[in-house]
Amino acid sequence: MTRNVIVTGGSGGIGLETAKALAAAGDAVILTGRDPNKLQDAVATVNAGATGPRSEGLPLDMGDFEAVRAFADDIGNRLPAIDVLVLNAGLYTRKLHTLPNGYEAMIGVMHLGHFLLANRLLERLLAAPAPRVILTSSVAHKTGRIDFESFTDPRRHRIGFSGYAQAKLANLIFARELARRYGDRGLTANAFHPGAVATGIWRELPQPIPWLADKLMITPAQGADTAIWLATADEARGINGEYLVNRRIAKSSARSRDPELARRLWTESEHMSGLT
């Protein structure tokens, strides 16, 4: 049976490699990305190896909540069910700034935008026989902490990495809370650390770091391996609300397992994303 798959941040890096693998396995894949030209090239690459329906690229800026709502409404009208949702879109910015909607860019794109999208698509996810939600987190979450004031005041982060670690921690907390709330309805939600991957996400860092990243880090295809496994493997169906590294459940930070923090993050995210 052909599955319906959505991959955010699918125009390059881990997202593109994930989309390629799932399309090659016969899934119908919708890729999103901010740059229409890069997205068009990515779709051509994905379709070159597809064994099922042709994949499609839809431009989407995860930091634009109105665009996220419109995208979710469009997908909801077109697809009766969504089998796999890969929440992968990301960025790293050392020049901390806010989006036009007033939220710090990294938490806005990587957490709030994905929180809004997943919840707006929730009805379609729960309509699938075995829906899977996969979030790209990071080992950086272990140094992160949730500072709700920083969501609208980037100055509370002394360095850009602090904002990045916070967003990746939020990804993991969100995955666990999704699993807790909807696991009894068949949904699985997990987060994974892809490893130190050479992608364009590090281009804002000063040289020689981007150059070294290309030379020393693993490839996007290697980084996407756990995401692909979570999306396809039968044995992954029994894993829910976990943090994975190299296809294995790994220990995460105490903050990522705090139920009170998870509940508050959910409530605050509902308000900040405009879900409620």
Side-chain angles (χ1 to χ4, degrees):
M1 182 181 71
T2 299
R3 301 186 307 170
N4 293 318
V5 176
I6 297 173
V7 180
T8 70
S11 58
I14 294 168
L16 175 56
E17 295 299 330
T18 302
K20 284 166 58 179
L22 298 184
D27 292 333
V29 183
I30 294 175
L31 298 76
T32 77
R34 287 187 297 171
D35 185 328
N37 293 324
K38 285 184 64 178
L39 192 58
Q40 184 177 8
D41 291 341
V43 171
T45 299
V46 171
N47 280 327
T51 62
R54 290 185 62 80
S55 295
E56 180 182 4
L58 296 176
L60 178 62
D61 180 352
M62 294 303 304
D64 182 344
F65 298 166
E66 287 300 323
V68 171
R69 291 187 192 94
F71 173 86
D73 289 347
D74 175 50
I75 294 300
N77 289 330
R78 293 167 54 183
L79 301 179
I82 298 168
D83 299 276
V84 181
L85 176 61
V86 183
L87 301 175
N88 166 76
L91 80 160
Y92 177 87
T93 175
R94 64 190 179 109
K95 296 179 180 178
L96 290 154
H97 64 278
T98 56
L99 301 168
N101 59 22
Y103 294 107
E104 186 273 315
M106 287 181 281
I107 200 70
V109 168
M110 291 191 281
H111 171 61
L112 292 174
H114 282 147
F115 177 90
L116 177 60
L117 178 62
N119 276 283
R120 295 281 290 207
L121 293 176
L122 189 58
E123 181 180 339
R124 293 293 180 261
L125 283 164
L126 295 175
R132 307 186 192 197
V133 180
I134 301 157
L135 289 99
T136 304
S137 183
S138 168
V139 70
H141 86 271
K142 293 187 176 183
T143 66
R145 67 185 186 91
I146 302 297
D147 175 3
F148 290 100
E149 291 184 34
S150 75
F151 285 26
T152 54
D153 184 4
R155 295 171 299 178
R156 294 180 64 86
H157 295 297
R158 287 185 293 179
I159 57 174
F161 189 78
S162 173
Y164 180 80
Q166 174 178 249
K168 290 305 182 182
L169 173 59
N171 288 154
L172 178 49
I173 293 172
F174 177 42
R176 287 202 160 121
E177 188 64 4
L178 264 177
R180 186 188 72 81
R181 289 174 180 244
Y182 299 104
D184 62 352
R185 298 181 64 180
L187 181 144
T188 62
N190 295 286
F192 76 103
H193 168 55
V197 182
T199 70
I201 197 172
W202 307 115
R203 62 183 175 271
E204 281 196 18
L205 292 174
Q207 290 292 356
I209 295 176
W211 181 83
L212 287 171
D214 287 338
K215 300 297 182 182
L216 302 177
M217 292 182 174
I218 65 175
T219 66
Q222 292 171 313
D225 178 73
T226 299
I228 296 164
W229 183 80
L230 282 169
T232 59
D234 287 340
E235 55 265 45
R237 290 181 178 178
I239 300 173
N240 206 7
E242 298 289 355
Y243 168 64
L244 290 95
V245 180
N246 294 326
R247 300 189 182 186
R248 296 181 179 179
I249 297 172
K251 185 177 180 180
S252 61
S253 69
R255 291 189 182 103
S256 75
R257 293 177 274 112
D258 182 340
E260 290 302 322
L261 179 59
R263 281 188 278 271
R264 184 180 175 195
L265 180 62
W266 188 285
T267 299
E268 296 285 353
S269 299
E270 283 181 325
H271 172 70
M272 292 180 181
S273 68
L275 187 65
T276 58

